[in-house]
Tab-separated table of all heavy atoms in Angstrom:
chain	number	residue	atom	x	y	z
A	1	ALA	N	0.864	-1.261	-0.046
A	1	ALA	CA	0.077	0.026	-0.040
A	1	ALA	C	0.944	1.295	0.027
A	1	ALA	O	0.612	2.159	-0.771
A	1	ALA	CB	-0.966	0.017	1.315
A	2	VAL	N	1.890	1.204	0.811
A	2	VAL	CA	2.721	2.426	1.003
A	2	VAL	C	3.543	2.670	-0.425
A	2	VAL	O	3.664	3.709	-0.890
A	2	VAL	CB	3.712	2.215	2.024
A	2	VAL	CG1	4.744	3.372	2.050
A	2	VAL	CG2	3.113	2.320	3.369
A	3	GLN	N	3.903	1.470	-0.977
A	3	GLN	CA	4.675	1.523	-2.294
A	3	GLN	C	3.871	2.175	-3.476
A	3	GLN	O	4.362	2.917	-4.279
A	3	GLN	CB	5.121	0.133	-2.681
A	3	GLN	CG	5.947	0.251	-3.869
A	3	GLN	CD	6.793	-1.254	-4.142
A	3	GLN	OE1	6.822	-2.049	-3.192
A	3	GLN	NE2	7.241	-1.498	-5.243
A	4	ILE	N	2.518	1.966	-3.360
A	4	ILE	CA	1.697	2.571	-4.441
A	4	ILE	C	1.056	3.905	-4.055
A	4	ILE	O	0.232	4.461	-4.593
A	4	ILE	CB	0.564	1.720	-4.887
A	4	ILE	CG1	-0.340	1.317	-3.755
A	4	ILE	CG2	1.159	0.393	-5.476
A	4	ILE	CD1	-1.635	0.430	-4.139
A	5	GLY	N	1.645	4.459	-2.937
A	5	GLY	CA	1.203	5.790	-2.428
A	5	GLY	C	0.014	5.991	-1.568
A	5	GLY	O	-0.611	7.100	-1.540
A	6	ILE	N	-0.422	4.877	-0.819
A	6	ILE	CA	-1.573	4.952	0.051
A	6	ILE	C	-0.939	5.250	1.470
A	6	ILE	O	-0.167	4.619	1.998
A	6	ILE	CB	-2.345	3.592	0.152
A	6	ILE	CG1	-2.818	3.296	-1.290
A	6	ILE	CG2	-3.424	3.687	1.090
A	6	ILE	CD1	-3.467	1.940	-1.499
A	7	ASP	N	-1.657	6.248	2.143
A	7	ASP	CA	-1.288	6.600	3.448
A	7	ASP	C	-1.637	5.453	4.427
A	7	ASP	O	-2.710	4.827	4.343
A	7	ASP	CB	-2.138	7.808	3.851
A	7	ASP	CG	-1.510	8.536	5.196
A	7	ASP	OD1	-1.804	7.848	6.219
A	7	ASP	OD2	-0.827	9.495	5.128
A	8	PRO	N	-0.693	5.116	5.434
A	8	PRO	CA	-0.913	4.081	6.302
A	8	PRO	C	-2.198	4.250	7.096
A	8	PRO	O	-2.962	3.264	7.562
A	8	PRO	CB	0.345	4.068	7.225
A	8	PRO	CG	1.343	4.563	6.411
A	8	PRO	CD	0.655	5.714	5.455
A	9	VAL	N	-2.531	5.469	7.445
A	9	VAL	CA	-3.789	5.721	8.197
A	9	VAL	C	-5.024	5.435	7.370
A	9	VAL	O	-5.949	4.660	7.868
A	9	VAL	CB	-3.858	7.242	8.657
A	9	VAL	CG1	-5.168	7.484	9.320
A	9	VAL	CG2	-2.661	7.538	9.614
A	10	HIS	N	-5.096	5.897	6.155
A	10	HIS	CA	-6.090	5.569	5.274
A	10	HIS	C	-6.306	4.055	5.047
A	10	HIS	O	-7.338	3.464	4.999
A	10	HIS	CB	-5.833	6.234	3.889
A	10	HIS	CG	-6.905	5.971	2.836
A	10	HIS	ND1	-6.594	5.814	1.507
A	10	HIS	CD2	-8.287	5.801	2.813
A	10	HIS	CE1	-7.698	5.553	0.852
A	10	HIS	NE2	-8.701	5.522	1.693
A	11	PHE	N	-5.197	3.365	4.766
A	11	PHE	CA	-5.055	1.948	4.640
A	11	PHE	C	-5.645	1.180	5.854
A	11	PHE	O	-6.423	0.194	5.664
A	11	PHE	CB	-3.746	1.364	4.260
A	11	PHE	CG	-3.716	0.018	4.065
A	11	PHE	CD1	-4.125	-0.574	2.825
A	11	PHE	CD2	-3.136	-0.954	4.955
A	11	PHE	CE1	-4.074	-1.920	2.584
A	11	PHE	CE2	-3.064	-2.214	4.754
A	11	PHE	CZ	-3.504	-2.822	3.561
A	12	GLY	N	-5.408	1.700	7.035
A	12	GLY	CA	-5.869	1.118	8.312
A	12	GLY	C	-7.386	1.156	8.371
A	12	GLY	O	-7.991	0.115	8.683
A	13	ILE	N	-8.017	2.180	7.936
A	13	ILE	CA	-9.481	2.315	8.009
A	13	ILE	C	-9.984	1.333	6.976
A	13	ILE	O	-11.121	0.574	7.249
A	13	ILE	CB	-9.900	3.724	7.677
A	13	ILE	CG1	-9.322	4.678	8.715
A	13	ILE	CG2	-11.452	3.765	7.711
A	13	ILE	CD1	-9.705	4.434	10.106
A	14	ILE	N	-9.469	1.285	5.777
A	14	ILE	CA	-9.961	0.301	4.703
A	14	ILE	C	-9.788	-1.142	5.203
A	14	ILE	O	-10.794	-1.858	5.148
A	14	ILE	CB	-9.229	0.570	3.455
A	14	ILE	CG1	-9.312	1.871	2.791
A	14	ILE	CG2	-9.577	-0.562	2.394
A	14	ILE	CD1	-8.425	2.133	1.664
A	15	LEU	N	-8.703	-1.397	5.719
A	15	LEU	CA	-8.550	-2.758	6.371
A	15	LEU	C	-9.463	-3.232	7.404
A	15	LEU	O	-10.065	-4.348	7.344
A	15	LEU	CB	-7.089	-2.965	6.825
A	15	LEU	CG	-6.636	-4.326	7.353
A	15	LEU	CD1	-6.554	-5.332	6.249
A	15	LEU	CD2	-5.314	-4.247	8.061
A	16	ILE	N	-9.653	-2.306	8.318
A	16	ILE	CA	-10.561	-2.615	9.541
A	16	ILE	C	-12.051	-2.811	8.970
A	16	ILE	O	-12.760	-3.694	9.351
A	16	ILE	CB	-10.460	-1.567	10.656
A	16	ILE	CG1	-9.051	-1.432	11.103
A	16	ILE	CG2	-11.430	-1.902	11.745
A	16	ILE	CD1	-8.394	-2.704	11.603
A	17	LEU	N	-12.475	-1.916	8.171
A	17	LEU	CA	-13.813	-2.013	7.591
A	17	LEU	C	-14.030	-3.306	6.866
A	17	LEU	O	-15.053	-3.880	6.960
A	17	LEU	CB	-14.226	-0.710	6.772
A	17	LEU	CG	-15.563	-0.774	6.128
A	17	LEU	CD1	-16.700	-1.024	7.238
A	17	LEU	CD2	-15.859	0.550	5.485
A	18	ASN	N	-12.895	-3.591	6.095
A	18	ASN	CA	-12.919	-4.905	5.283
A	18	ASN	C	-13.187	-6.132	6.312
A	18	ASN	O	-14.092	-7.011	6.152
A	18	ASN	CB	-11.640	-5.017	4.667
A	18	ASN	CG	-11.744	-4.918	3.177
A	18	ASN	OD1	-12.497	-5.615	2.509
A	18	ASN	ND2	-10.994	-3.990	2.686
A	19	LEU	N	-12.530	-6.086	7.353
A	19	LEU	CA	-12.512	-7.175	8.313
A	19	LEU	C	-13.736	-7.195	9.191
A	19	LEU	O	-14.241	-8.310	9.562
A	19	LEU	CB	-11.308	-7.167	9.204
A	19	LEU	CG	-9.930	-7.369	8.494
A	19	LEU	CD1	-8.744	-7.207	9.537
A	19	LEU	CD2	-9.888	-8.801	7.895
A	20	MET	N	-14.359	-6.034	9.332
A	20	MET	CA	-15.733	-5.923	10.003
A	20	MET	C	-16.774	-6.679	9.236
A	20	MET	O	-17.677	-7.209	9.793
A	20	MET	CB	-16.045	-4.488	10.225
A	20	MET	CG	-15.299	-3.802	11.306
A	20	MET	SD	-15.225	-4.725	12.885
A	20	MET	CE	-13.642	-5.471	12.772
A	21	LEU	N	-16.666	-6.540	7.912
A	21	LEU	CA	-17.644	-7.294	7.097
A	21	LEU	C	-17.494	-8.852	7.334
A	21	LEU	O	-18.566	-9.584	7.161
A	21	LEU	CB	-17.439	-6.938	5.692
A	21	LEU	CG	-17.553	-5.596	5.281
A	21	LEU	CD1	-17.568	-5.237	3.744
A	21	LEU	CD2	-19.045	-4.979	5.616
A	22	GLY	N	-16.333	-9.286	7.635
A	22	GLY	CA	-16.175	-10.707	7.924
A	22	GLY	C	-16.877	-11.091	9.181
A	22	GLY	O	-17.183	-12.289	9.332
A	23	LEU	N	-17.200	-10.163	10.122
A	23	LEU	CA	-17.909	-10.507	11.316
A	23	LEU	C	-19.397	-10.871	10.926
A	23	LEU	O	-20.112	-11.358	11.818
A	23	LEU	CB	-17.858	-9.362	12.381
A	23	LEU	CG	-16.519	-9.085	12.861
A	23	LEU	CD1	-16.611	-7.736	13.791
A	23	LEU	CD2	-15.919	-10.336	13.710
A	24	LEU	N	-19.786	-10.485	9.670
A	24	LEU	CA	-21.213	-10.656	9.309
A	24	LEU	C	-21.374	-11.839	8.281
A	24	LEU	O	-22.441	-12.001	7.703
A	24	LEU	CB	-21.749	-9.437	8.662
A	24	LEU	CG	-21.673	-8.146	9.416
A	24	LEU	CD1	-22.220	-6.907	8.653
A	24	LEU	CD2	-22.352	-8.223	10.791
A	25	THR	N	-20.270	-12.542	8.059
A	25	THR	CA	-20.276	-13.636	7.067
A	25	THR	C	-19.765	-14.946	7.680
A	25	THR	O	-18.882	-15.014	8.500
A	25	THR	CB	-19.419	-13.321	5.883
A	25	THR	OG1	-18.049	-12.963	6.342
A	25	THR	CG2	-19.965	-12.055	5.118
A	26	PRO	N	-20.374	-16.025	7.323
A	26	PRO	CA	-19.901	-17.394	7.821
A	26	PRO	C	-18.543	-17.697	7.102
A	26	PRO	O	-18.266	-17.117	6.084
A	26	PRO	CB	-20.966	-18.316	7.349
A	26	PRO	CG	-21.676	-17.689	6.110
A	26	PRO	CD	-21.437	-16.164	6.363
A	27	PRO	N	-17.708	-18.537	7.584
A	27	PRO	CA	-18.081	-19.443	8.726
A	27	PRO	C	-17.720	-18.874	10.079
A	27	PRO	O	-18.165	-19.331	11.104
A	27	PRO	CB	-17.206	-20.739	8.575
A	27	PRO	CG	-15.987	-20.124	7.796
A	27	PRO	CD	-16.512	-19.034	6.945
């Protein structure tokens, strides 16, 4: 992410929201 110019703070929000969706999906 850093190599392609994404701020680590921005990437953190994207990553966490991504993983939150996993809390709503099986298994």
Side-chain angles (χ1 to χ4, degrees):
V2 172
Q3 190 169 336
I4 62 174
I6 300 174
D7 191 284
V9 173
H10 176 221
F11 182 73
I13 301 300
I14 297 172
L15 179 68
I16 301 307
L17 179 50
N18 251 302
L19 294 175
M20 286 308 100
L21 298 181
L23 295 175
L24 307 181
T25 54

